[in-house]
Amino acid sequence: VSRAEPLDLLDEAHSGSRVALARLLTIVESGGTRHRELVAAAYAVPPPYVLGLTGPPGAGKSTLVDGLIATGLEVGDRGGPLPEIAVVAIDPSSPFTGGAILGDRVRMQSHATDERVYIRSMATRGHLGGLSLAVPDATRVLGRVGFALVVVETVGVGQMEVDIASAADSTVVVLNPGWGDSMQANKAGLLEVADVFVVNKADRPLVRETRRDLEQMLDLGESRPWRPPIIETIATSATGVAALWAAVNDHRSHLEESGELATRRRRRTREGLIGVLAAESRARSRALAHGERFEAAVDAIAEGTIDPYRAADELLD
Amino acid sequence: VSRAEPLDLLDEAHSGSRVALARLLTIVESGGTRHRELVAAAYAVPPPYVLGLTGPPGAGKSTLVDGLIATGLEVGDRGGPLPEIAVVAIDPSSPFTGGAILGDRVRMQSHATDERVYIRSMATRGHLGGLSLAVPDATRVLGRVGFALVVVETVGVGQMEVDIASAADSTVVVLNPGWGDSMQANKAGLLEVADVFVVNKADRPLVRETRRDLEQMLDLGESRPWRPPIIETIATSATGVAALWAAVNDHRSHLEESGELATRRRRRTREGLIGVLAAESRARSRALAHGERFEAAVDAIAEGTIDPYRAADELLD
């Protein structure tokens, strides 16, 4: 394990060192003192644009990300082609970063050796707030070293995966034709976070029915200034990927022009601070749960001279 | 909702008022200021003996409890017949106290009108630590008003149900013949907490195999001073209930004579205090998550003048 200082690593990563960048993201995963030093620097610069992708396993997210990377590097945004793009891949259900994520890297292999693309799978190795805090921290570190766009891809459809992917500026929900049957459990959650819908594998049956279902659900929902478009893609042949890229850029323009981007980011900042407060106070209470004062409190409760609630208050104060 | 003071209610409940006792347990469920006042009094006296019963739904726990109550009132412990017994029934999987619990009351109907028996189903209505703190508090309140024995029965086999039932002085795990097949998920958890095994519905096939399986598992486990006996019962005809009651009393004698009772209770006191610490600090961090100072911190993070971790520290300090 490198003992290089986070600020030195930031300089090296900013100059293009992928080794330094990998170490920085390991620091994010690990939490601790160096993490604190790192986030102090990372949060001092504006965040990158974060694009979240979520949807059920096997929907084709990684292949779509592969296509989006190609389009982003070629077409880019209003500022022209993007010089580089980072991908953060998350599989919170896996205790290791292997499994599905290694599969992702294979599926994204057209960019595996492209030095303009940085792909990183993330796990928590000690970060006190888990992935829901580690991923935003990682995007800020990537922004700090110069990435203008970070794609966060989550594998799985639990609420946690959806929450992580939707802590993005624009969230793409990737479905397949006929998805509704297999996805009842978290349908509402997915629908609520979508800024853009993708019906991938659009060469399969039931595309029209799936589109109609989504349209109906959007009709039933609250009317909002932005109605999520539904983009049909066949990721394996890059069909529709340019349209998806354009839809994401449209959403971004909408957010910027309406002022909604600032509103969303402030809401995320609030939620992030609440998450850090909870994690920090959890860590503090754990630190109080041993040692002399703690054992004395246990004795006092056992003797009946204090109840556990007053004892906890005295330890916390 | 009564506004009577907890200490007055304790006096009334101690004099036999079931209405006052019900109000006290509602105060436990609800948390808040009156709960604090109540636990301060409840923890000042020694705890009652707590007997936990857990096992899969449909195993016959409530009918067994019914039989144990009858035996306890008749035979009692070394001090003679028990003048009264309390039962706390928990179904954490149910958002209401209805459903299975109402069924329990029906199954325990032979004592529904017996004034020596107090049966209460519990839910959390605001207690900051949830049922895993509310149930121990409830047993202490029952002890404070004079119950020498409290039976805690949990419905369901999740880890939470097992944890609640096993936060007892003696824990009875109720199974049925052939249980192994349906119970793989939490088998180890159930085995670990058992002080006494019951194979209920022992008039069904596979009793011998079930006993043999349990014996083998006990042989494989660590050798301990107390080997959990396996009692066969047919709760519906009270067959074996006297033997179960005797086994529980044996376990109690073992705990008392070996000094293990004090060790266990101290461990539970430690774990309880850790739980209260966590719940209290969670409540405190929630209280910090709004207001002027919090919004100023969000502003500062958004402006890049502070990171969320330092901001949380400043709010917590």
Side-chain angles (χ1 to χ4, degrees):
Chain A
V1 178
S2 157
R3 295 274 82 201
E5 293 306 317
L7 298 187
D8 296 336
L9 289 170
L10 276 175
D11 285 343
E12 290 172 42
H14 198 265
S15 308
S17 165
R18 295 307 196 216
V19 173
L21 180 52
R23 286 185 182 161
L24 288 171
L25 293 174
T26 300
I27 291 174
V28 169
E29 288 174 327
S30 309
T33 326
R34 296 164 81 218
H35 167 260
R36 301 294 288 254
E37 208 180 315
L38 176 55
V39 290
Y43 279 84
V45 304
Y49 201 81
V50 179
L51 172 60
L53 249 101
T54 190
K61 292 180 295 297
S62 300
T63 318
L64 268 178
V65 169
D66 207 27
L68 288 171
I69 290 171
T71 314
L73 293 172
E74 217 179 281
V75 179
D77 56 20
R78 287 180 303 190
L82 296 169
E84 52 182 9
I85 297 176
V87 178
V88 174
I90 308 293
D91 184 358
S93 62
S94 163
F96 313 102
T97 50
I101 298 295
L102 287 177
D104 282 351
R105 291 191 176 195
V106 173
R107 282 193 290 278
M108 289 184 214
Q109 65 188 336
S110 47
H111 297 104
T113 58
D114 188 332
E115 61 186 18
R116 296 171 299 172
V117 180
Y118 181 74
I119 299 174
R120 165 81 179 209
S121 53
M122 279 192 75
T124 46
R125 311 167 192 234
H127 191 301
L128 54 79
L131 282 169
S132 56
L133 292 185
V135 172
D137 289 352
T139 65
R140 297 302 292 252
V141 168
L142 289 161
R144 173 66 176 71
V145 305
F147 286 89
L149 177 68
V150 177
V151 179
V152 175
E153 184 205 333
T154 55
V155 177
V157 288
Q159 195 54 49
M160 187 193 178
E161 291 88 328
V162 172
D163 288 346
I164 290 172
S166 65
D169 296 310
S170 298
T171 301
V172 174
V173 170
V174 183
L175 306 168
N176 292 147
W179 74 293
D181 309 326
S182 57
M183 282 293 305
Q184 285 304 342
N186 206 11
K187 215 167 174 174
L190 280 178
L191 291 180
E192 198 178 320
V193 301
D195 298 310
V196 176
F197 283 108
V198 171
V199 181
N200 188 37
K201 307 186 184 175
D203 49 348
R204 296 198 181 168
L206 298 176
V207 175
R208 200 176 306 168
E209 290 80 355
T210 300
R211 171 182 285 277
R212 198 193 50 213
D213 285 354
L214 289 171
E215 297 282 8
Q216 276 177 355
M217 286 187 274
L218 291 171
D219 290 343
L220 287 171
E222 229 179 311
S223 161
R224 293 184 203 170
W226 173 265
R227 184 183 170 103
I230 302 166
I231 313 293
E232 294 173 19
T233 61
I234 307 167
T236 47
S237 62
T239 307
V241 170
L244 172 57
W245 181 258
V248 169
N249 273 343
D250 283 351
H251 181 247
R252 179 173 180 170
S253 300
H254 160 75
L255 289 181
E256 286 169 353
E257 286 156 19
S258 63
E260 175 74 11
L261 183 61
T263 310
R264 279 195 180 196
R265 285 183 167 175
R266 192 184 157 89
R267 190 168 56 225
R268 288 216 308 276
T269 301
R270 289 186 99 254
E271 286 163 6
L273 181 54
I274 291 171
V276 174
L277 268 173
E280 288 279 334
S281 64
R282 210 158 48 228
R284 289 180 177 208
S285 83
R286 272 199 219 106
L288 291 172
H290 44 76
E292 262 177 59
R293 283 187 64 215
F294 177 76
E295 297 302 336
V298 174
D299 288 338
I301 299 167
E303 288 155 14
T305 57
I306 195 169
D307 69 82
Y309 298 87
R310 240 185 65 214
D313 278 345
E314 291 187 2
L315 285 168
L316 285 164
D317 287 337
Chain B
V1 179
S2 157
R3 293 276 84 201
E5 293 306 317
L7 299 187
D8 296 336
L9 290 170
L10 278 175
D11 285 343
E12 291 172 40
H14 198 266
S15 308
S17 165
R18 296 307 196 215
V19 172
L21 181 51
R23 286 185 183 162
L24 287 170
L25 293 174
T26 300
I27 291 174
V28 169
E29 289 174 326
S30 309
T33 325
R34 295 164 82 217
H35 167 259
R36 300 297 286 258
E37 208 180 315
L38 175 56
V39 289
Y43 280 84
V45 304
Y49 201 79
V50 180
L51 171 62
L53 248 102
T54 190
K61 293 182 294 299
S62 300
T63 317
L64 269 178
V65 170
D66 207 26
L68 288 171
I69 290 171
T71 315
L73 292 172
E74 216 178 282
V75 179
D77 55 20
R78 287 179 302 187
L82 296 169
E84 52 181 7
I85 296 177
V87 178
V88 175
I90 308 293
D91 184 359
S93 62
S94 163
F96 312 101
T97 49
I101 299 294
L102 286 178
D104 282 351
R105 293 195 173 191
V106 173
R107 283 193 289 278
M108 290 185 213
Q109 64 189 338
S110 46
H111 297 103
T113 57
D114 188 331
E115 60 187 19
R116 295 170 299 171
V117 180
Y118 181 74
I119 300 173
R120 165 81 180 207
S121 52
M122 279 192 72
T124 47
R125 311 165 193 239
H127 191 300
L128 53 79
L131 282 170
S132 54
L133 292 186
V135 172
D137 289 352
T139 64
R140 298 303 291 252
V141 168
L142 288 162
R144 173 67 176 70
V145 305
F147 286 89
L149 176 67
V150 177
V151 179
V152 175
E153 183 204 336
T154 56
V155 177
V157 288
Q159 195 53 50
M160 187 193 177
E161 290 89 329
V162 173
D163 288 346
I164 289 172
S166 65
D169 296 310
S170 299
T171 302
V172 174
V173 170
V174 183
L175 306 169
N176 293 145
W179 73 294
D181 309 326
S182 57
M183 282 293 306
Q184 284 306 339
N186 206 10
K187 213 167 175 173
L190 280 178
L191 291 181
E192 198 177 321
V193 301
D195 298 310
V196 176
F197 283 108
V198 171
V199 181
N200 188 37
K201 305 186 185 176
D203 48 349
R204 296 197 181 172
L206 297 177
V207 175
R208 200 176 305 169
E209 290 81 354
T210 299
R211 171 182 284 278
R212 198 192 52 213
D213 285 355
L214 288 171
E215 296 282 9
Q216 276 177 356
M217 285 186 276
L218 291 172
D219 290 341
L220 288 171
E222 230 179 309
S223 159
R224 293 185 205 170
W226 172 264
R227 183 184 170 102
I230 302 167
I231 312 293
E232 294 173 20
T233 60
I234 307 167
T236 46
S237 62
T239 308
V241 171
L244 172 57
W245 180 258
V248 169
N249 273 344
D250 283 350
H251 182 247
R252 179 173 180 171
S253 299
H254 160 75
L255 289 182
E256 286 169 352
E257 286 156 19
S258 63
E260 174 73 11
L261 183 62
T263 311
R264 277 195 181 196
R265 286 185 167 174
R266 191 181 158 90
R267 190 168 59 225
R268 288 216 309 276
T269 301
R270 289 187 99 255
E271 287 163 7
L273 181 55
I274 291 172
V276 174
L277 268 174
E280 288 279 334
S281 66
R282 210 157 48 228
R284 288 180 178 210
S285 84
R286 272 199 220 105
L288 291 172
H290 45 76
E292 261 177 58
R293 283 186 64 215
F294 177 77
E295 297 302 336
V298 174
D299 288 338
I301 299 166
E303 287 156 13
T305 56
I306 195 169
D307 68 83
Y309 298 87
R310 240 186 64 215
D313 278 345
E314 292 186 1
L315 285 168
L316 285 164
D317 288 338

